[in-house]
Structure formats: C-alpha cells, structure tokens
C-alpha cells in the first residue's frame, strides 16, 4: 500500500488550486461571520471515521459544502475585527509548497534550507523595520509563544537556577507590563510557573500608554519588599487601542534596573518599515527582544511570529537541551530547536520569503500606508458625526469609537453600543469587534487585510450609522 498515484494526485492538486482561487475570487459572497450556531457543524458529521476509503472528490465536495461556508472569513475584505491576518497570494503559495515539502526543521540537518531561510528572512525583516544588525531572529507560531520564549530567557537571566530547580528556589519574581498589555504576557507568566500574580500591571496615561514614573515606583516597591524584578514588557500597538508605550523612557528604566526589556510589537511592528512611522518605535533598538507578527499586518498567512533577540545565547541558555539522539556533526550549523520549547518546527519562513519578495519593501509600505490613511479617514468620519465619539488616538490602522446615544450614559450607553455592534455584524458584509477603554464599551475598526479597500471601510461606516439611527441614536 502507498499513497495516491501521480496522475490522480496531480489532478487533485489542480482541483485544490482552483478551489483556493475560486474562494479568493468569491469570498465577498459570504457574510464575514458564518450563519452557524455552536454544535451545528458537528451534528452534520458522521460520528465515527469511515472504515472504508472515501473518494477525494466526495471529501472535496463536503469541504465546499460544509467547511468553506462555515468558517469565519479572515480573508474577507470586510474583516475589520481584532487584528487582521491576510492569506495573501504569495503567502498561500509559500504555505502550499511548505506542505508539499513537509520539512521538520528541528535541526539544521533535518531542514538545512528551512533553517537558513528562516535566519535569512528574519534578518530581512530586521532590515525592513530598521533595527540594528545585533538582532537575530527565529519564527514561532504566535506572539504568545514568542513572548513566552522571551520571558523564559529573562527569567533564566535573572535567576539562572530556575532552569535546574524551577522557580521554587527564587524569591517572588516580577514582570512589568502596562495595564493594556496583551493577555499573552499573563499566560506566559502562568506557564513559566511565576504565576499570574508576578505580572505587575503598570498604570497608563490618558492615551493608554504606560507611565514610566509608575513603572519606576512599582519596581522600587517590589525591591523593597524582597521581590525580584525580571523583565519589563513595553507594547507598541496595544491590542485594544494600538497605544504606544514610551519605549525610550521605559528602556531607560529597564537598563538602570538591569531588567530584560521585551517589546510586544506583534501587530504594529511591520509599520516601522515606513520611515514616517518610525518615530513611534523610538527606543525599541534598546530592547533585549522584540516580537512582530507577519501573520498580523504583513500579509503572511497564519502562523508566523518573528522573535528578534539581541543575545541569542541568552535564549539558548534557557532552552538548549540536546539528547544523544539529536546530536549532529555539522560544524557551524544552527539548530533552531535550541531556541524554544518546541522540538519539531514547520517551514514557516517559505511563505514569508514569498511575501517579502512578491511585494517588495515598496509594495509593503504602500499597503501599510494605505491602511493607515483609511483609518485616518474613518476617524475623520467619526469626528464629524454628531452622536459618535472617537475614543483613542489613531497612530496606525485601528479606530476606536462609540455611539453616544442622547440621554443615555454609563451602562445604558454600553448596552446601546453592544447592540449596535451585534446589528452591524449580523448584516454580513463587515465584522467589527469591541473592547473596553476607560471603563466603557467601544467599537473597533481594525484595517489590515490586504484586500480591504476604501469601499469596504466606507460600507462599514455607513452600516454603523444606519443601524445606530434605526436604534434611535
Ligand atoms: N500581542 C499583541 C499586542 C496582540 O494584539 C496579540 C493578539 O492580538 C498578541 C500579542 C497575541 O498574538 P498571537 O495570536 O500571535 O499569540
């Protein structure tokens, strides 16, 4: 027995290529959110796997009928929720080829081209965003993993015994992040055994950016109480409002205190490719580690998160463990599995290589700029509209805003905005998400999908206004 014979699989690969092309060409015929209730899909699937082989034609037909219409369409240009992830055409091509190669690049020997291309595209990305040559990188699945690796390295540097004895040998450890930092930082500290209580949420200012004076005070209080500060996490582009922590000032504090500085630029990082946006990143070159997600705002399909580090040996010191069966003889070979908890690794660099080459730096900048311009335009519509207010500055491509219904405030206004969001999302052509800022529910329009154009953003605004009026704004 073996796999499918060549003429047959060639035919199916062509069919799949057509399915992907048809999907991309016709994605707007779907509502962004499928009309599916929880449990409904499983109810349509057989309870047990088939005993006898099924024809691939039947599986592909079921894919078309059951799966494709029932995904949330992240590749839809009306996807304006959370942060986008685009399966751009070059990214899809790279991902498809990676599936064909099926490389497992745990060691240089098991994936020479994958290992070297990964190092190389990380260096291209570093150059693209203007970071100095003393950063080198590797690719993880998500920013959650990248930040976990950064904080594990910081923990090891602060308390080297943690590798052998765990954290039970250490005084209470502390990691500092703004109150608006992403929950992946809390999760990393849970995973690393430091506990969620180790994350000190530093107060933010009225622009939702970390206050360096509050950071200094928190570190001093912890030191006085016998706790051990480990790392500071600054965010450039927070999840809720894309706020920018004052990285240079935070770096100054981290350096004075001898703490690891990790920058979470998971969403906004690629924007540093645009010289006019570089000022938002001032000071990030002082970091020990930086995470940027090409799968968010660099048109690379899920999953692709780049962790750039200044001292790769600090990461290796935290993670390297080479049993006999993984020892190889090649001199000068870099084994990427030494830089994190996972042994096996996918060939993620291929799709990023395709993306960086197929658009070129100029093409990427053009698209990032267009998204920022669309966000500014949307912000202008909000600012000009009675009954609406903008809730945060717009440094990148996200607008936070809310309806301010006459005679209703507080909780009542929150309920109005929640209903408004549900009504907008029910309509189908766009999908927005929400957050809480300053204690109040706000709506978010996050532009970042490569296929989103002005018409989609305008349609979103028209829908928001129309639904708000229908609801008696
Ligand atoms: N950091 C920030 C600022 C984010 O907004 C997000 C997700 O949106 C993450 C980290 C986590 O990203 P991932 O899904 O790649 O783990």
């Amino acid at each position: 027995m073996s796999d499918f014979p060549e003429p047959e699989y060639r035919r199916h690969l062509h069919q799949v290529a057509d399915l992907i092309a048809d999907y991309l060409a016709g994605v707007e015929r779907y509502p962004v959110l499928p009309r599916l209730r929880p449990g409904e899909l499983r109810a349509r699937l057989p309870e047990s796997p088939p005993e006898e082989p099924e024809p691939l034609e039947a599986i592909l037909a079921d894919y078309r009928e059951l799966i494709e219409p029932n995904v949330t369409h992240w590749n839809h240009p009306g996807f304006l929720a959370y942060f986008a992830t685009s399966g751009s055409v070059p990214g899809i091509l790279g991902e498809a080829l990676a599936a064909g190669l099926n490389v497992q690049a745990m060691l240089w020997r098991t994936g020479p081209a994958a290992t070297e291309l990964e190092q190389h595209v990380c260096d291209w990305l570093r150059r693209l965003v203007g970071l100095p040559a003393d950063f080198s990188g590797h690719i993880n699945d998500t920013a959650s993993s990248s930040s976990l690796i950064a904080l594990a390295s910081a923990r090891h540097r602060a308390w080297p015994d943690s590798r052998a004895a765990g954290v039970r040998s250490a005084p209470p450890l502390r990691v500092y992040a703004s109150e608006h930092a992403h929950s992946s930082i809390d999760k990393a500290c849970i995973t690393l055994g430091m506990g969620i209580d180790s994350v000190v949420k530093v107060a933010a200012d009225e622009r939702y950016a970390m206050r360096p004076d509050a950071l200094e005070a928190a570190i001093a209080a912890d030191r006085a109480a016998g706790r051990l500060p480990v790392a500071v996490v600054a965010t450039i582009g927070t999840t809720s409002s894309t706020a920018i922590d004052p990285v240079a000032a935070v770096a100054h504090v981290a350096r004075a205190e001898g703490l690891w500085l990790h920058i979470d630029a998971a969403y906004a990082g690629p924007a540093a490719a645009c010289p006019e946006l570089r000022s938002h990143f001032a000071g990030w070159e002082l970091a020990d580690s930086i995470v940027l997600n090409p799968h968010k705002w660099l048109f690379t399909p899920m999953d692709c998160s780049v962790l750039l580090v200044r001292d790769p040996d600090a990461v290796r010191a935290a993670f390297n463990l080479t049993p006999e069966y993984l020892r190889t003889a090649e001199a000068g070979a870099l084994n990427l599995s030494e830089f994190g908890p996972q042994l096996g690794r996918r060939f993620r660099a291929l799709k990023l290589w395709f993306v960086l080459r197929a658009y070129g730096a100029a093409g990427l900048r053009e698209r990032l700029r267009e998204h920022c311009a669309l966000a500014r335009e949307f912000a202008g519509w909000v600012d000009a509209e009675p009954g609406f207010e903008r809730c945060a500055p717009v440094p990148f491509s996200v607008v936070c805003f809310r309806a301010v219904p006459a005679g209703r405030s507080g909780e009542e206004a929150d309920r109005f905005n929640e209903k408004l969001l549900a009504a907008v999302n029910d309509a189908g052509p766009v999908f927005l998400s929400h957050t809480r800022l300053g204690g109040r529910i706000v709506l978010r329009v996050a532009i970042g999908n490569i296929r989103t154009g002005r018409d989609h953003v305008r349609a979103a605004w028209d829908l928001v206004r129309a639904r708000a009026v229908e609801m008696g704004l």
Side-chain angles (χ1 to χ4, degrees):
M1 298 297 285
S2 76
D3 207 349
F4 287 86
E6 201 241 85
E8 199 179 329
Y9 71 65
R10 187 176 292 280
R11 186 161 50 84
H12 294 306
L13 283 170
H14 283 291
Q15 281 174 336
V16 167
D18 280 337
L19 271 179
I20 295 173
D22 290 347
Y23 176 67
L24 294 178
V27 67
E28 287 189 69
R29 72 179 184 275
Y30 292 118
V32 185
L33 287 170
R35 316 266 190 230
L36 189 77
R37 281 187 298 277
E40 233 172 36
L41 179 69
R42 286 199 69 182
R44 296 179 66 187
L45 300 173
E47 226 166 72
S48 303
E51 181 62 28
E52 298 303 326
E54 293 190 68
L56 280 169
E57 263 82 7
I59 304 172
L60 289 173
D62 282 349
Y63 162 83
R64 252 192 316 264
E65 194 191 319
L66 295 176
I67 306 301
E68 189 183 288
N70 287 319
V71 299
T72 292
H73 298 280
W74 288 75
N75 267 347
H76 193 300
F79 189 104
L80 302 169
Y82 312 112
F83 289 129
T85 173
S86 309
S88 66
V89 168
I92 292 169
L93 298 179
E95 189 73 307
L97 290 169
L101 291 174
N102 188 37
V103 162
Q104 201 281 59
M106 57 185 174
L107 305 171
W108 183 89
R109 175 177 285 184
T110 67
T115 301
E116 296 195 14
L117 192 67
E118 183 162 329
Q119 289 175 269
H120 210 73
V121 290
C122 288
D123 197 59
W124 276 9
L125 188 63
R126 173 194 69 73
R127 288 169 190 266
L128 183 71
V129 299
L131 280 164
D134 46 358
F135 281 94
S136 60
H138 70 270
I139 303 181
N140 297 299
D141 53 357
T142 56
S144 304
S145 298
S146 294
S147 291
L148 173 76
I149 293 168
L151 291 175
S153 311
R155 184 188 64 167
H156 182 254
R157 184 191 273 176
W159 193 259
D161 205 27
S162 60
R163 182 180 155 119
V167 289
R168 67 179 180 275
S169 63
L173 304 175
R174 288 294 178 263
V175 168
Y176 304 86
S178 133
E179 55 181 314
H180 293 279
H182 189 262
S183 57
S184 54
I185 304 305
D186 304 71
K187 275 200 182 180
C189 291
I190 297 171
T191 310
L192 292 169
M194 300 195 279
I196 203 165
D197 290 349
S198 69
V199 186
V200 179
K201 296 286 165 68
V202 180
D205 63 17
E206 69 293 343
R207 297 169 73 87
Y208 309 112
M210 187 197 284
R211 279 179 33 211
D213 60 320
L215 172 66
E216 270 183 310
I219 296 171
D222 281 332
R223 287 208 195 279
R227 295 184 278 262
L228 182 63
V230 167
V232 183
V233 179
T235 309
I236 301 178
T238 58
T239 311
S240 283
S241 72
T242 73
I244 302 164
D245 288 337
V247 174
V250 170
H252 179 74
V253 176
R255 203 158 265 192
E257 296 284 346
L259 305 184
W260 184 288
L261 175 61
H262 176 59
I263 306 283
D264 182 351
Y267 150 71
C274 303
E276 73 277 16
L277 296 172
R278 275 278 162 82
S279 61
H280 295 323
F281 297 82
W284 73 332
E285 69 283 358
L286 302 171
D288 293 284
S289 54
I290 301 174
V291 56
L292 314 86
N293 275 7
H295 78 224
K296 287 201 191 320
W297 203 15
L298 207 63
F299 319 124
T300 307
M302 276 295 288
D303 49 1
C304 187
S305 173
V306 171
L307 179 65
L308 295 171
V309 294
R310 180 184 293 285
D311 178 11
D313 286 341
V315 183
R316 206 199 306 246
F319 284 105
N320 184 25
L321 192 68
T322 310
E324 187 53 40
Y325 47 81
L326 293 178
R327 279 188 209 288
T328 53
E330 292 88 3
L334 187 92
N335 298 322
L336 286 170
S337 55
E338 293 173 12
F339 295 89
Q342 67 177 103
L343 176 65
R345 49 192 302 113
R346 295 184 345 95
F347 191 176
R348 298 189 182 93
L350 197 58
K351 58 189 169 186
L352 182 52
W353 189 54
F354 271 56
V355 168
L356 293 174
R357 293 185 61 187
Y359 297 112
L364 293 169
R365 279 190 210 104
E366 203 181 324
R367 288 167 173 83
L368 295 165
R369 283 181 179 132
E370 188 184 326
H371 291 172
C372 292
L374 288 173
R376 283 194 300 273
E377 195 173 3
F378 192 99
W381 297 330
V382 173
D383 292 345
E385 188 75 17
F388 282 87
E389 70 180 10
R390 192 148 57 80
C391 305
V394 182
F396 299 112
S397 67
V398 173
V399 184
C400 292
F401 67 102
R402 62 201 305 263
V404 192
R408 281 168 279 190
S409 60
E411 290 284 310
E412 253 191 298
D414 281 352
R415 298 296 82 79
F416 185 95
N417 278 282
E418 283 168 347
K419 280 195 192 135
L420 174 58
L421 180 65
V424 168
N425 288 340
D426 276 353
V430 298
F431 174 31
L432 318 185
S433 59
H434 77 283
T435 190
R436 200 176 272 278
L437 285 176
R440 299 269 68 96
I441 295 287
V442 306
L443 312 188
R444 284 169 84 262
V445 159
I447 300 156
N449 188 297
I450 197 161
R451 298 177 185 88
T452 300
R454 189 176 184 280
D455 288 353
H456 305 100
V457 177
R458 184 70 213 185
W461 176 236
D462 289 343
L463 195 56
V464 167
R465 269 192 325 175
R467 290 292 183 269
V469 169
E470 282 162 23
M471 287 169 52
L473 179 70

